[in-house]
Amino acid sequence: RVDKMQKIQLTDKKRDGETHFKNFDLGAYSKKTFGMYGGTEETVTLRCKNHLAGVMLDRFGQDVIFRIVDEEHFEFHVKVQTSPLFYAWVLNFGDEVKITAPLSVQEALVDRLQKGLSLYLNNPC
């Protein structure tokens, strides 16, 4: 992380990865990355309460296409890196955001929840 770097100085050394950075789209990367954690890239489907439309557009950009599910919800597909911070971000919304696909990402979230709950249910102190 840049904010943790110390004793930074310019050098005349050639940078590695020039080819990679030439084609790197920082905007696309930041839309699918949560915090500093990477993860497996997945296309997930999120079902949200309607009042969160602006929040989702702010997070994922204006090119996201919403599909109306019912009077209270919309759904959309987005590529994300399924890191611990992605799951925490989803859980921030409580019952207002649900991962509806793929099943493997749903199961990973449930597994995280079960492990976290076990810390408190088995030994609340």
Side-chain angles (χ1 to χ4, degrees), residues 89-103:
W89 179 82
V90 169
L91 292 172
N92 255 341
F93 295 101
D95 65 350
E96 297 185 328
V97 173
K98 180 180 181 181
I99 299 168
T100 59
L103 183 58

Side-chain angles (χ1 to χ4, degrees), residues 47-53 56 72-74 95-97:
R47 179 172 294 160
C48 308
K49 295 268 185 159
N50 287 339
H51 72 90
L52 292 174
M56 297 304 149
E72 295 180 18
H73 300 90
F74 65 92
D95 65 350
E96 297 185 328
V97 173

Side-chain angles (χ1 to χ4, degrees), residues 16-114:
D16 291 336
E18 183 177 347
T19 307
H20 175 75
F21 289 108
K22 226 179 241 184
N23 300 321
F24 184 71
D25 183 344
L26 182 60
Y29 176 78
S30 65
K31 286 179 189 176
K32 59 186 165 186
T33 306
F34 289 78
M36 63 179 194
Y37 293 97
T40 305
E41 186 171 306
E42 299 271 1
T43 298
V44 299
T45 304
L46 298 176
R47 179 172 294 160
C48 308
K49 295 268 185 159
N50 287 339
H51 72 90
L52 292 174
V55 173
M56 297 304 149
L57 290 172
D58 286 347
R59 179 64 180 91
F60 297 109
Q62 299 294 318
D63 54 343
V64 173
I65 299 172
F66 294 162
R67 180 182 75 79
I68 296 171
V69 175
D70 57 36
E71 288 183 11
E72 295 180 18
H73 300 90
F74 65 92
E75 201 169 69
F76 64 101
H77 310 293
V78 65
K79 284 187 181 184
V80 299
Q81 292 187 9
T82 55
S83 68
L85 284 181
F86 166 70
Y87 293 115
W89 179 82
V90 169
L91 292 172
N92 255 341
F93 295 101
D95 65 350
E96 297 185 328
V97 173
K98 180 180 181 181
I99 299 168
T100 59
L103 183 58
S104 61
V105 176
Q106 287 178 318
E107 289 170 341
L109 177 60
V110 169
D111 183 57
R112 284 187 168 283
L113 287 168
Q114 288 173 334

